[in-house]
Amino acid sequence: MAERGRPRRRSTGGRAQGSSSRRPERARREGRRARLRRGLSAKRASGAAKVLGLSNTRRAAVVAIVLCALAFTIAVPLRTYLTQRSEVAVQEQRMAELQREVARLEARKAELSDPAEIQAEARRRLRFVMPGETPFMVQLPEDEQRAQQPDGGQQPTPKGTWYERLWDSVSG
């Protein structure tokens, strides 16, 4: 009797060879196992293709689409993360600058708590003098030349009200 799924071999005489020359039992079992293994793996692969009804090319296209969808799903949060990370670095740098400025201003505040420092600042910046002192202003020749020459960036202030200037420009 022929094994299941395997066609019978016929001899030239038309009789089945399987009945006259049987293999040993062990060899038949190993052959059957190998066929079963090959058959199961082929059935699994072809079963998935049959269920989905897709060829290899179409399955590859579906996998590519799924990978692209995953990439786009990850891209937006990743971009947001990187942007926020750079903004955090900028803000930390700004915070360090502000802390240095606060330290400098606190040191300046400590300096100004001394009455002698306040007096020196008042003399220097506000030109205060103590009672009984005679103030002197030293003017150098360079200062006079600067006062006489108008700055190139400043325009002379026009004389008269705006409507008089307008009437003069219209009437010529």
Side-chain angles (χ1 to χ4, degrees), residues 22-67:
R22 291 198 167 185
R23 291 186 204 171
E25 191 67 27
R26 184 174 178 184
R28 280 193 327 193
R29 268 189 266 137
E30 287 177 6
R32 186 179 296 162
R33 285 182 190 156
R35 280 191 308 273
L36 285 174
R37 275 190 236 125
R38 275 184 273 141
L40 286 177
S41 63
K43 285 181 184 176
R44 284 183 195 149
S46 66
K50 287 178 183 175
V51 169
L52 296 175
L54 300 175
S55 66
N56 287 337
T57 307
R58 289 185 179 164
R59 274 186 269 156
V62 168
V63 169
I65 290 171
V66 168
L67 289 177

Short mmCIF file of all heavy atoms in Angstrom, two decimals, residues 22-67:
data_model
loop_
_atom_site.label_atom_id
_atom_site.label_comp_id
_atom_site.label_asym_id
_atom_site.label_seq_id
_atom_site.Cartn_x
_atom_site.Cartn_y
_atom_site.Cartn_z
N ARG A 22 9.82 -3.70 0.88
CA ARG A 22 9.56 -2.74 1.97
C ARG A 22 10.87 -2.35 2.63
O ARG A 22 11.76 -3.18 2.82
CB ARG A 22 8.66 -3.36 3.00
CG ARG A 22 7.29 -3.55 2.47
CD ARG A 22 6.38 -3.75 3.59
NE ARG A 22 5.03 -3.62 3.08
CZ ARG A 22 3.98 -3.65 3.82
NH1 ARG A 22 4.08 -3.80 5.10
NH2 ARG A 22 2.79 -3.52 3.29
N ARG A 23 10.91 -1.07 2.99
CA ARG A 23 12.08 -0.57 3.70
C ARG A 23 12.01 -1.03 5.15
O ARG A 23 10.93 -1.33 5.64
CB ARG A 23 12.09 0.96 3.69
CG ARG A 23 12.33 1.55 2.37
CD ARG A 23 12.46 3.04 2.56
NE ARG A 23 12.13 3.72 1.32
CZ ARG A 23 11.98 5.00 1.21
NH1 ARG A 23 12.08 5.76 2.28
NH2 ARG A 23 11.73 5.54 0.06
N PRO A 24 13.11 -0.95 5.80
CA PRO A 24 13.03 -1.24 7.23
C PRO A 24 12.16 -0.18 7.92
O PRO A 24 12.03 0.95 7.45
CB PRO A 24 14.47 -1.15 7.71
CG PRO A 24 15.30 -1.20 6.48
CD PRO A 24 14.45 -0.81 5.33
N GLU A 25 11.56 -0.54 9.01
CA GLU A 25 10.59 0.31 9.72
C GLU A 25 11.22 1.64 10.14
O GLU A 25 10.60 2.70 10.04
CB GLU A 25 10.07 -0.44 10.95
CG GLU A 25 8.90 0.21 11.62
CD GLU A 25 7.65 0.19 10.76
OE1 GLU A 25 7.48 -0.69 9.91
OE2 GLU A 25 6.84 1.12 10.94
N ARG A 26 12.44 1.65 10.59
CA ARG A 26 13.11 2.86 11.08
C ARG A 26 13.32 3.87 9.95
O ARG A 26 13.09 5.06 10.11
CB ARG A 26 14.43 2.49 11.70
CG ARG A 26 15.14 3.65 12.33
CD ARG A 26 16.37 3.18 13.03
NE ARG A 26 17.07 4.31 13.59
CZ ARG A 26 18.21 4.24 14.20
NH1 ARG A 26 18.79 3.09 14.36
NH2 ARG A 26 18.77 5.32 14.67
N ALA A 27 13.76 3.42 8.85
CA ALA A 27 13.99 4.30 7.70
C ALA A 27 12.70 4.93 7.24
O ALA A 27 12.66 6.10 6.86
CB ALA A 27 14.66 3.53 6.56
N ARG A 28 11.63 4.17 7.26
CA ARG A 28 10.33 4.73 6.86
C ARG A 28 9.90 5.83 7.81
O ARG A 28 9.39 6.86 7.40
CB ARG A 28 9.27 3.63 6.82
CG ARG A 28 9.33 2.83 5.57
CD ARG A 28 8.12 2.00 5.41
NE ARG A 28 7.60 1.57 6.70
CZ ARG A 28 6.69 0.63 6.89
NH1 ARG A 28 6.20 0.02 5.86
NH2 ARG A 28 6.25 0.31 8.08
N ARG A 29 10.11 5.62 9.13
CA ARG A 29 9.72 6.65 10.11
C ARG A 29 10.52 7.93 9.91
O ARG A 29 9.98 9.02 9.97
CB ARG A 29 9.92 6.12 11.53
CG ARG A 29 8.69 5.46 12.05
CD ARG A 29 8.81 5.13 13.50
NE ARG A 29 9.29 3.75 13.62
CZ ARG A 29 10.22 3.32 14.45
NH1 ARG A 29 10.77 4.16 15.28
NH2 ARG A 29 10.60 2.08 14.47
N GLU A 30 11.81 7.82 9.70
CA GLU A 30 12.65 9.01 9.49
C GLU A 30 12.24 9.75 8.22
O GLU A 30 12.20 10.97 8.19
CB GLU A 30 14.12 8.61 9.42
CG GLU A 30 14.69 8.22 10.75
CD GLU A 30 16.13 7.77 10.64
OE1 GLU A 30 16.73 7.87 9.54
OE2 GLU A 30 16.67 7.31 11.66
N GLY A 31 11.96 9.01 7.19
CA GLY A 31 11.51 9.63 5.95
C GLY A 31 10.18 10.35 6.14
O GLY A 31 9.97 11.44 5.64
N ARG A 32 9.30 9.74 6.90
CA ARG A 32 8.00 10.33 7.17
C ARG A 32 8.16 11.61 7.99
O ARG A 32 7.53 12.63 7.72
CB ARG A 32 7.11 9.34 7.91
CG ARG A 32 5.70 9.85 8.09
CD ARG A 32 4.84 8.86 8.79
NE ARG A 32 4.70 7.65 7.99
CZ ARG A 32 4.31 6.48 8.46
NH1 ARG A 32 4.03 6.35 9.74
NH2 ARG A 32 4.20 5.43 7.67
N ARG A 33 9.04 11.57 8.99
CA ARG A 33 9.28 12.77 9.83
C ARG A 33 9.83 13.92 8.99
O ARG A 33 9.43 15.07 9.15
CB ARG A 33 10.25 12.44 10.94
CG ARG A 33 9.64 11.64 12.05
CD ARG A 33 10.64 11.41 13.13
NE ARG A 33 10.14 10.45 14.09
CZ ARG A 33 10.87 9.70 14.88
NH1 ARG A 33 12.19 9.80 14.83
NH2 ARG A 33 10.33 8.85 15.72
N ALA A 34 10.77 13.62 8.13
CA ALA A 34 11.36 14.67 7.28
C ALA A 34 10.30 15.27 6.38
O ALA A 34 10.24 16.50 6.21
CB ALA A 34 12.50 14.09 6.45
N ARG A 35 9.45 14.41 5.80
CA ARG A 35 8.38 14.93 4.94
C ARG A 35 7.41 15.77 5.75
O ARG A 35 6.94 16.82 5.29
CB ARG A 35 7.65 13.79 4.26
CG ARG A 35 8.37 13.25 3.06
CD ARG A 35 7.49 12.31 2.26
NE ARG A 35 6.87 11.26 3.03
CZ ARG A 35 7.41 10.07 3.31
NH1 ARG A 35 8.63 9.81 2.87
NH2 ARG A 35 6.77 9.17 4.02
N LEU A 36 7.12 15.32 6.98
CA LEU A 36 6.19 16.08 7.82
C LEU A 36 6.78 17.46 8.15
O LEU A 36 6.09 18.47 8.12
CB LEU A 36 5.86 15.31 9.11
CG LEU A 36 4.90 14.14 8.94
CD1 LEU A 36 4.78 13.39 10.26
CD2 LEU A 36 3.55 14.65 8.50
N ARG A 37 8.09 17.46 8.49
CA ARG A 37 8.72 18.75 8.81
C ARG A 37 8.68 19.69 7.62
O ARG A 37 8.35 20.86 7.73
CB ARG A 37 10.16 18.52 9.25
CG ARG A 37 10.27 18.19 10.71
CD ARG A 37 11.72 18.21 11.15
NE ARG A 37 11.97 16.88 11.75
CZ ARG A 37 12.93 16.06 11.39
NH1 ARG A 37 13.77 16.40 10.44
NH2 ARG A 37 13.07 14.90 11.96
N ARG A 38 9.05 19.16 6.45
CA ARG A 38 9.02 19.99 5.25
C ARG A 38 7.60 20.42 4.94
O ARG A 38 7.35 21.56 4.59
CB ARG A 38 9.59 19.23 4.06
CG ARG A 38 11.09 19.34 3.98
CD ARG A 38 11.61 18.67 2.74
NE ARG A 38 11.81 17.24 3.09
CZ ARG A 38 11.54 16.21 2.30
NH1 ARG A 38 11.04 16.41 1.11
NH2 ARG A 38 11.75 14.98 2.68
N GLY A 39 6.71 19.55 5.12
CA GLY A 39 5.32 19.86 4.81
C GLY A 39 4.73 20.88 5.75
O GLY A 39 4.02 21.79 5.34
N LEU A 40 5.07 20.77 7.06
CA LEU A 40 4.53 21.73 8.03
C LEU A 40 5.07 23.13 7.79
O LEU A 40 4.34 24.12 7.84
CB LEU A 40 4.85 21.28 9.45
CG LEU A 40 4.02 20.10 9.97
CD1 LEU A 40 4.50 19.72 11.37
CD2 LEU A 40 2.56 20.47 10.01
N SER A 41 6.38 23.25 7.54
CA SER A 41 6.94 24.59 7.32
C SER A 41 6.39 25.18 6.02
O SER A 41 6.09 26.37 5.94
CB SER A 41 8.46 24.54 7.29
OG SER A 41 8.90 23.75 6.20
N ALA A 42 6.24 24.37 5.02
CA ALA A 42 5.68 24.87 3.77
C ALA A 42 4.22 25.24 3.95
O ALA A 42 3.75 26.24 3.41
CB ALA A 42 5.83 23.83 2.66
N LYS A 43 3.52 24.44 4.74
CA LYS A 43 2.10 24.74 4.98
C LYS A 43 1.95 26.02 5.77
O LYS A 43 1.05 26.82 5.53
CB LYS A 43 1.42 23.59 5.71
CG LYS A 43 1.14 22.40 4.83
CD LYS A 43 0.47 21.31 5.62
CE LYS A 43 0.27 20.07 4.77
NZ LYS A 43 -0.30 18.97 5.54
N ARG A 44 2.83 26.22 6.76
CA ARG A 44 2.75 27.46 7.55
C ARG A 44 2.96 28.67 6.67
O ARG A 44 2.24 29.64 6.73
CB ARG A 44 3.79 27.43 8.66
CG ARG A 44 3.44 26.55 9.79
CD ARG A 44 4.49 26.63 10.87
NE ARG A 44 4.35 25.54 11.80
CZ ARG A 44 5.33 24.97 12.45
NH1 ARG A 44 6.57 25.41 12.28
NH2 ARG A 44 5.12 23.97 13.27
N ALA A 45 4.02 28.65 5.87
CA ALA A 45 4.33 29.79 5.01
C ALA A 45 3.22 30.00 3.99
O ALA A 45 2.76 31.13 3.77
CB ALA A 45 5.66 29.58 4.30
N SER A 46 2.78 28.94 3.38
CA SER A 46 1.73 29.10 2.39
C SER A 46 0.40 29.40 3.05
O SER A 46 -0.44 30.07 2.47
CB SER A 46 1.63 27.85 1.51
OG SER A 46 1.19 26.75 2.29
N GLY A 47 0.23 28.93 4.30
CA GLY A 47 -1.02 29.22 5.02
C GLY A 47 -1.17 30.70 5.30
O GLY A 47 -2.25 31.27 5.14
N ALA A 48 -0.08 31.36 5.71
CA ALA A 48 -0.14 32.80 5.96
C ALA A 48 -0.45 33.55 4.67
O ALA A 48 -1.23 34.50 4.66
CB ALA A 48 1.17 33.29 6.55
N ALA A 49 0.17 33.10 3.59
CA ALA A 49 -0.09 33.76 2.31
C ALA A 49 -1.52 33.52 1.87
O ALA A 49 -2.16 34.41 1.30
CB ALA A 49 0.89 33.26 1.26
N LYS A 50 -2.02 32.31 2.12
CA LYS A 50 -3.40 32.02 1.71
C LYS A 50 -4.39 32.81 2.54
O LYS A 50 -5.39 33.30 2.03
CB LYS A 50 -3.68 30.54 1.83
CG LYS A 50 -3.01 29.70 0.78
CD LYS A 50 -3.31 28.23 0.99
CE LYS A 50 -2.57 27.38 -0.04
NZ LYS A 50 -2.74 25.96 0.22
N VAL A 51 -4.13 32.93 3.86
CA VAL A 51 -5.06 33.66 4.73
C VAL A 51 -5.10 35.12 4.33
O VAL A 51 -6.17 35.73 4.20
CB VAL A 51 -4.65 33.51 6.21
CG1 VAL A 51 -5.43 34.46 7.07
CG2 VAL A 51 -4.86 32.08 6.66
N LEU A 52 -3.93 35.71 4.14
CA LEU A 52 -3.89 37.13 3.76
C LEU A 52 -4.16 37.32 2.28
O LEU A 52 -4.51 38.41 1.86
CB LEU A 52 -2.53 37.73 4.12
CG LEU A 52 -2.20 37.77 5.61
CD1 LEU A 52 -0.77 38.26 5.80
CD2 LEU A 52 -3.18 38.62 6.36
N GLY A 53 -3.95 36.29 1.50
CA GLY A 53 -4.17 36.41 0.07
C GLY A 53 -3.15 37.31 -0.59
O GLY A 53 -3.46 38.03 -1.53
N LEU A 54 -1.90 37.33 -0.07
CA LEU A 54 -0.88 38.24 -0.58
C LEU A 54 0.29 37.46 -1.14
O LEU A 54 0.67 36.41 -0.62
CB LEU A 54 -0.37 39.14 0.54
CG LEU A 54 -1.39 40.04 1.21
CD1 LEU A 54 -0.76 40.76 2.37
CD2 LEU A 54 -1.96 41.03 0.21
N SER A 55 0.91 38.01 -2.15
CA SER A 55 2.13 37.44 -2.68
C SER A 55 3.31 38.00 -1.87
O SER A 55 3.14 38.86 -1.01
CB SER A 55 2.28 37.80 -4.15
OG SER A 55 2.46 39.19 -4.29
N ASN A 56 4.49 37.52 -2.16
CA ASN A 56 5.68 37.99 -1.45
C ASN A 56 5.90 39.49 -1.64
O ASN A 56 6.26 40.19 -0.71
CB ASN A 56 6.92 37.23 -1.92
CG ASN A 56 6.93 35.81 -1.41
OD1 ASN A 56 6.28 35.51 -0.39
ND2 ASN A 56 7.65 34.94 -2.09
N THR A 57 5.68 39.98 -2.84
CA THR A 57 5.86 41.40 -3.12
C THR A 57 4.87 42.24 -2.33
O THR A 57 5.22 43.26 -1.75
CB THR A 57 5.68 41.67 -4.62
OG1 THR A 57 6.53 40.80 -5.35
CG2 THR A 57 6.00 43.11 -4.94
N ARG A 58 3.66 41.79 -2.30
CA ARG A 58 2.64 42.54 -1.56
C ARG A 58 2.91 42.50 -0.07
O ARG A 58 2.71 43.49 0.63
CB ARG A 58 1.25 41.99 -1.87
CG ARG A 58 0.84 42.34 -3.28
CD ARG A 58 -0.55 41.92 -3.55
NE ARG A 58 -0.94 42.28 -4.92
CZ ARG A 58 -1.96 41.80 -5.54
NH1 ARG A 58 -2.74 40.92 -4.95
NH2 ARG A 58 -2.23 42.17 -6.77
N ARG A 59 3.36 41.35 0.44
CA ARG A 59 3.71 41.28 1.86
C ARG A 59 4.85 42.23 2.18
O ARG A 59 4.84 42.91 3.20
CB ARG A 59 4.10 39.85 2.24
CG ARG A 59 2.88 39.02 2.61
CD ARG A 59 3.29 37.68 3.10
NE ARG A 59 3.32 36.82 1.92
CZ ARG A 59 4.03 35.72 1.80
NH1 ARG A 59 4.77 35.31 2.80
NH2 ARG A 59 4.00 35.00 0.71
N ALA A 60 5.84 42.33 1.30
CA ALA A 60 6.95 43.25 1.51
C ALA A 60 6.45 44.69 1.50
O ALA A 60 6.91 45.52 2.29
CB ALA A 60 8.01 43.05 0.43
N ALA A 61 5.52 45.01 0.63
CA ALA A 61 4.95 46.36 0.58
C ALA A 61 4.20 46.67 1.88
O ALA A 61 4.31 47.78 2.42
CB ALA A 61 4.03 46.50 -0.62
N VAL A 62 3.46 45.70 2.40
CA VAL A 62 2.73 45.91 3.66
C VAL A 62 3.71 46.13 4.80
O VAL A 62 3.52 47.02 5.64
CB VAL A 62 1.80 44.71 3.95
CG1 VAL A 62 1.26 44.76 5.36
CG2 VAL A 62 0.66 44.67 2.95
N VAL A 63 4.79 45.36 4.83
CA VAL A 63 5.80 45.53 5.88
C VAL A 63 6.44 46.92 5.76
O VAL A 63 6.65 47.60 6.76
CB VAL A 63 6.87 44.41 5.78
CG1 VAL A 63 8.07 44.72 6.66
CG2 VAL A 63 6.25 43.08 6.17
N ALA A 64 6.72 47.35 4.55
CA ALA A 64 7.31 48.68 4.35
C ALA A 64 6.36 49.77 4.82
O ALA A 64 6.78 50.75 5.45
CB ALA A 64 7.67 48.88 2.88
N ILE A 65 5.08 49.63 4.53
CA ILE A 65 4.10 50.63 4.97
C ILE A 65 4.02 50.66 6.48
O ILE A 65 3.96 51.74 7.10
CB ILE A 65 2.73 50.33 4.33
CG1 ILE A 65 2.78 50.64 2.84
CG2 ILE A 65 1.62 51.14 5.00
CD1 ILE A 65 1.56 50.18 2.07
N VAL A 66 4.04 49.51 7.11
CA VAL A 66 3.99 49.45 8.58
C VAL A 66 5.22 50.10 9.18
O VAL A 66 5.13 50.88 10.14
CB VAL A 66 3.84 47.98 9.05
CG1 VAL A 66 4.07 47.86 10.54
CG2 VAL A 66 2.47 47.45 8.68
N LEU A 67 6.40 49.84 8.59
CA LEU A 67 7.62 50.46 9.10
C LEU A 67 7.59 51.97 8.92
O LEU A 67 8.03 52.72 9.80
CB LEU A 67 8.84 49.86 8.39
CG LEU A 67 9.18 48.43 8.78
CD1 LEU A 67 10.36 47.93 7.95
CD2 LEU A 67 9.48 48.32 10.25
#
